[in-house]
């Protein structure tokens, strides 16, 4: 065939000139010639057609890859090698992308736009990619990002760190994505689980400035999401590079990625060690809480429980001086959902001390309890009969081996009374109060959850509620105290001198009580007292976290140390800790 069937005889082409053979026509002819020569083309994934004339071709797609022979390794018209330089559409700089198209990949993009060629750290954006001169092929790189690799089945999923629970906070070390000869994680996955193929939405990768990535400005950590061909706007799948909180896409030490989507995924780059080829990142996800966290302690062990967006429970525990991992509360029986915070405590029996949970069922507003079993799961939910409620139950064992927790609840309207239950063990169905529940009299009108602590080996309690203050626009925290077995004979309600529109949280250990409360602006404070003594005054816990829901508190080290959880205005769960009456560590 004549060369001018494909390319024009002059530049610009003569008036009216059109090719008589298209790229597709040429591919058909080339394939037939190869078959006639005895080549089994059906054993290959695709075909690369390289023309021996200056066609200028550099395209890839479902039918194959089309190349001008000069552009394969950057040659001049006379066949001599041209300058080894980027930006000319030569070598693997361009044909890496064109072969990617043949494998089914679209151009890579940046989050917030559907424009192509927006990720210069990925080979599928070689119109503006961070390539580097190559002595053999004129130009090369960069490599593929992790989501594009996963989209083609090229990512080793056994080397992708994946969270084991809905709520987590984990430090992970990443190896360079393309250096599979090094041991360790090549990528990490981050919730929510709405990504292509049921995976987490985000993939985090570390790219080192060498080899295929020698042209990137600096070694960095990257975050991508991915849309399949059916999900995106043009029939091609596309990866989208994400920006950090400072607007950069290449994240380095101190940079953070924290979008506010369907919970709170977060990536913080802690360290990039180029010499040892390791990037250390902190990955976390805090589900958007419908209720509030709950905490308890036994000795120096702390347990925290919170609700997830769909009403399930997740929990963690740790010893003083260590940390824990969030995981689902697994129930050996039918599940129940709650739309408020749970209650958590410890139950001590002859077999030892176990975690005890209680919830307000969102379906029937009844209180149910469960106890952790020896295998780690929790037993079936058991009804605590007698009172229904619209708010979270409060419970305390005082961090003492007193046998069973004591619970306080505020009953549902039209009652709105506060009741105490001092015998939470294998209770059969009973009539409405008094039943197993004893009313606190006189009762204060409140629609918020109470807080409760038990001290003096279970013989004395402090009860706090947020009550309506008819003399102010804000409610006020009110405290009562006395024998939990005679709640109709308590000392009486007294102001805690703290205005709040949220329920308080309380904890006790070694006859010391700590109360944590939120002022009308969302700032968090605490106060404390020892049995027989008075309060010390409200202490601020730091202004960098404010909240719209009640906090939770646990007391360890014989009452000398405390942990506090609070949900920030961003929906994330934050932990603070402090020496009671002393230094405060700060929110994290």
């Amino acid at each position: 065939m004549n060369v001018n069937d494909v390319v024009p005889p002059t530049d610009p082409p003569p008036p009216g000139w059109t090719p008589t053979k298209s790229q597709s026509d040429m591919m058909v002819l080339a394939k037939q010639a190869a078959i006639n020569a005895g080549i089994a083309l059906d054993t290959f994934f695709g075909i690369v057609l390289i023309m021996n004339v200056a066609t200028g071709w550099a395209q890839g797609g479902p039918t194959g890859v089309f190349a001008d022979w000069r552009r394969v390794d950057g040659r001049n018209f006379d066949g001599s090698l041209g300058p080894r330089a980027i930006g000319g559409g030569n070598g693997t700089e361009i044909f890496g992308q064109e072969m990617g198209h043949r494998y089914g990949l679209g151009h890579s993009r940046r989050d917030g736009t559907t424009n192509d060629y927006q990720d210069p750290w990925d080979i599928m954006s070689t119109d503006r990619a961070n390539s580097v001169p190559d002595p053999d092929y004129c130009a090369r790189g960069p490599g593929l990002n992790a989501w594009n690799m996963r989209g083609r089945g090229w990512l080793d999923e056994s080397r992708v760190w994946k969270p084991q629970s809905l709520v987590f906070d984990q430090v992970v070390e990443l190896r360079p994505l393309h250096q599979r000869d090094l041991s360790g994680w090549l990528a990490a996955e981050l919730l929510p689980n709405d990504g292509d193929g049921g995976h987490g939405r985000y993939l985090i990768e570390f790219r080192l400035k060498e080899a295929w990535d020698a042209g990137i400005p600096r070694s960095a950590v990257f975050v991508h999401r991915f849309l399949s061909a059916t999900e995106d706007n043009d029939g091609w799948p596309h990866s989208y590079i994400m920006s950090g909180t400072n607007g950069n896409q290449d994240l380095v030490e101190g940079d953070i990625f924290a979008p506010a989507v369907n919970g709170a995924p977060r990536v913080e780059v802690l360290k990039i060690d180029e010499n040892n080829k390791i990037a250390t990142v902190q990955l976390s996800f805090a589900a958007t809480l419908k209720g509030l966290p709950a905490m308890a302690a036994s000795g120096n062990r702390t347990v925290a429980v919170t609700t997830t967006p769909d009403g399930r429970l997740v929990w963690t525990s740790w010893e003083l001086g260590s940390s824990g991992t969030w995981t689902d509360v697994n129930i050996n029986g039918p599940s129940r959902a709650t739309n408020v915070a749970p209650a958590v405590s410890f139950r001590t029996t002859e077999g030892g001390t176990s975690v005890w949970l209680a919830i307000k069922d969102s379906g029937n507003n009844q209180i149910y309890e469960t106890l952790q079993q020896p295998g780690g799961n929790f037993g079936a939910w058991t009804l605590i009969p007698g009172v229904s409620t619209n708010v979270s139950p409060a419970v305390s064992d005082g961090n003492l081996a007193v046998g069973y927790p004591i619970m306080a609840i505020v009953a549902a309207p039209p009652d709105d009374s506060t009741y105490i239950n001092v015998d939470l063990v294998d209770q059969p169905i009973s009539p409405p109060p008094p039943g197993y529940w004893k009313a606190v009299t006189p009762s204060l009108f409140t629609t918020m959850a109470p807080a409760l602590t038990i001290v003096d080996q279970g013989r004395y309690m402090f009860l706090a509620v947020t009550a309506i203050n008819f003399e102010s626009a804000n409610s006020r925290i009110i405290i009562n105290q006395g024998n939990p077995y005679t709640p109709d004979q308590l000392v009486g309600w007294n102001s805690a001198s703290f205005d709040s529109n949220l329920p308080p949280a309380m904890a006790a250990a070694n006859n010391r009580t700590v109360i944590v409360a939120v002022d009308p602006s969302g700032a968090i404070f605490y106060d404390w007292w020892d049995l027989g003594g008075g309060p010390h005054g409200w202490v601020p816990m730091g202004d960098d976290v404010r909240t719209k829901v009640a906090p939770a508190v646990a007391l360890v080290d014989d009452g000398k140390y405390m942990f506090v959880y609070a949900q920030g205005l961003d929906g994330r769960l934050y932990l603070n800790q402090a020496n009671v009456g002393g230094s405060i560590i700060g929110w994290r």
Side-chain angles (χ1 to χ4, degrees):
M1 62 182 300
N2 191 295
V3 65
N4 295 132
D5 291 334
V6 181
V7 296
T10 60
D11 185 16
W17 179 89
T18 59
T20 60
K21 297 293 184 182
S22 67
Q23 284 184 345
S24 297
D25 294 333
M26 296 302 297
M27 181 63 76
V28 171
L29 293 171
K31 284 183 176 180
Q32 189 58 56
I35 293 172
N36 294 341
I39 306 299
L41 295 183
D42 58 356
T43 62
F44 296 89
F45 180 86
I47 305 298
V48 178
L49 176 58
I50 302 176
M51 300 296 290
N52 64 345
V53 294
T55 61
W57 289 353
Q59 288 85 34
T63 60
V65 178
F66 303 87
D68 176 336
W69 70 279
R70 297 174 303 118
R71 304 187 70 176
V72 173
D73 57 358
R75 292 182 179 269
N76 301 312
F77 278 101
D78 62 4
S80 61
L81 289 177
R84 306 292 88 184
I86 66 174
N90 298 307
T92 54
E93 174 190 42
I94 184 65
F95 290 109
Q97 173 180 285
E98 303 310 331
M99 291 184 71
H101 287 321
R102 178 61 188 94
Y103 282 113
L105 287 170
H107 295 124
S108 48
R109 296 173 170 176
R110 173 174 51 83
D111 188 58
T113 178
T114 56
N115 294 333
D116 291 338
Y117 304 111
Q118 298 299 304
D119 183 358
W121 295 271
D122 183 67
I123 193 68
M124 299 309 295
S125 281
T126 50
D127 186 56
R128 59 186 297 265
N130 292 315
S131 304
V132 66
D134 183 270
D136 297 318
Y137 293 99
C138 189
R140 73 173 188 271
L144 278 173
N145 69 60
W147 247 123
N148 274 335
M149 293 174 64
R150 169 180 275 176
R152 300 302 93 194
W154 299 336
L155 184 63
D156 184 352
E157 296 291 344
S158 69
R159 300 189 62 183
V160 178
W161 181 90
K162 299 176 183 179
Q164 301 301 306
S165 62
L166 182 63
V167 180
F168 57 88
D169 189 348
Q170 187 76 31
V171 174
V172 177
E173 290 186 344
L174 296 175
R175 289 294 198 171
L177 174 64
H178 305 127
Q179 298 196 15
R180 291 173 291 178
D181 58 313
L182 299 177
S183 62
W185 301 113
L186 296 177
E189 187 175 281
L190 197 57
L191 302 174
N193 283 328
D194 57 4
D196 186 54
H199 292 289
R201 180 183 303 182
Y202 303 108
L203 273 178
I204 296 91
E205 67 198 54
F206 171 41
R207 306 279 286 276
L208 197 62
K209 182 179 169 60
E210 65 179 26
W212 283 97
D213 290 329
I216 67 176
R218 58 185 179 179
S219 300
V221 171
F222 299 88
V223 183
H224 291 87
R225 64 181 180 90
F226 188 84
L227 291 181
S228 67
T230 57
E231 294 172 317
D232 221 326
N233 66 328
D234 62 355
W236 285 91
H238 297 281
S239 67
Y240 288 80
I241 192 169
M242 310 301 295
S243 299
T245 55
N246 61 3
N248 294 337
Q249 287 90 47
D250 57 338
L251 307 180
V252 294
E253 186 171 329
D255 286 348
I256 293 172
F257 165 72
V261 290
N262 192 18
R266 187 175 189 273
V267 179
E268 181 176 357
V269 181
L270 301 180
K271 183 179 181 181
I272 292 180
D273 184 345
E274 292 185 300
N275 291 331
N276 292 307
K277 301 185 178 183
I278 295 174
T280 305
V281 296
Q282 185 163 15
L283 309 176
S284 60
F285 187 88
T288 302
L289 303 179
K290 287 185 175 180
L292 52 134
M295 300 179 76
S298 177
N300 283 334
R301 182 190 177 195
T302 299
V303 63
V305 186
T306 189
T307 52
T308 66
D310 57 1
R312 297 181 299 109
L313 298 176
V314 293
W315 74 298
T316 183
S317 68
W318 64 90
E319 294 289 337
L320 182 61
S322 64
S323 61
T325 301
W326 289 94
T327 187
D328 291 290
V329 173
N330 295 313
I331 301 294
N332 294 329
S335 62
R336 292 188 176 275
T338 182
N339 55 357
V340 296
V344 60
S345 188
F346 288 89
R347 176 175 289 182
T348 302
T349 64
E350 293 180 356
T353 299
S354 300
V355 178
W356 177 90
L357 301 177
I359 61 168
K360 189 274 295 188
D361 187 278
S362 56
N364 59 20
N365 289 343
Q366 299 292 310
I367 303 293
Y368 291 83
E369 67 169 329
T370 181
L371 186 66
Q372 187 183 22
Q373 305 300 303
N377 288 354
F378 288 79
W381 291 109
T382 302
L383 176 69
I384 300 176
V387 175
S388 62
T389 183
N390 292 325
V391 299
S392 304
V395 64
S396 176
D397 63 3
N399 198 345
L400 299 168
V402 296
Y404 299 100
I406 292 175
M407 177 180 285
I409 70 164
V410 174
D415 192 330
D416 291 318
S417 297
T418 301
Y419 292 90
I420 301 293
N421 192 331
V422 296
D423 190 18
L424 296 175
V425 52
D426 302 325
Q427 296 181 352
I429 299 297
S430 68
Y436 294 101
W437 296 91
K438 296 181 180 180
V440 175
T441 55
S443 183
L444 288 180
F445 178 78
T446 182
T447 58
M448 301 184 197
L452 172 73
T453 59
I454 299 297
V455 293
D456 193 23
Q457 296 294 323
R459 294 185 291 267
Y460 204 81
M461 74 171 180
F462 292 94
L463 180 67
V465 299
T466 303
I468 292 178
N469 183 2
F470 293 101
E471 299 178 355
S472 171
N474 299 307
S475 297
R476 174 155 288 200
I477 293 177
I478 309 295
I479 295 178
N480 210 335
Q481 56 185 297
N483 189 331
Y485 293 87
T486 55
D488 57 341
Q489 301 176 32
L490 301 182
V491 172
W493 296 101
N494 291 283
S495 172
S497 301
F498 193 91
D499 287 353
S500 179
N501 297 313
L502 293 171
M506 298 175 75
N510 194 30
N511 286 335
R512 172 169 290 177
T513 293
V514 167
I515 182 171
V516 179
V518 181
D519 76 4
S521 73
I524 302 168
F525 294 76
Y526 83 95
D527 195 1
W528 82 102
W529 60 85
D530 295 317
L531 182 62
H536 291 73
W538 292 96
V539 179
M541 297 204 68
D543 200 41
D544 48 338
V545 169
R546 292 178 181 253
T547 186
K548 293 182 179 179
V549 299
V553 58
L555 203 54
V556 295
D557 194 20
D558 291 327
K560 295 189 289 290
Y561 203 82
M562 68 178 182
F563 294 96
V564 177
Y565 263 121
Q567 182 192 37
L569 299 179
D570 58 0
R572 290 168 53 81
L573 203 59
Y574 290 86
L575 179 67
N576 205 337
Q577 49 190 303
N579 293 290
V580 177
S583 59
I584 296 174
I585 301 299
W587 295 104
R588 180 176 180 273

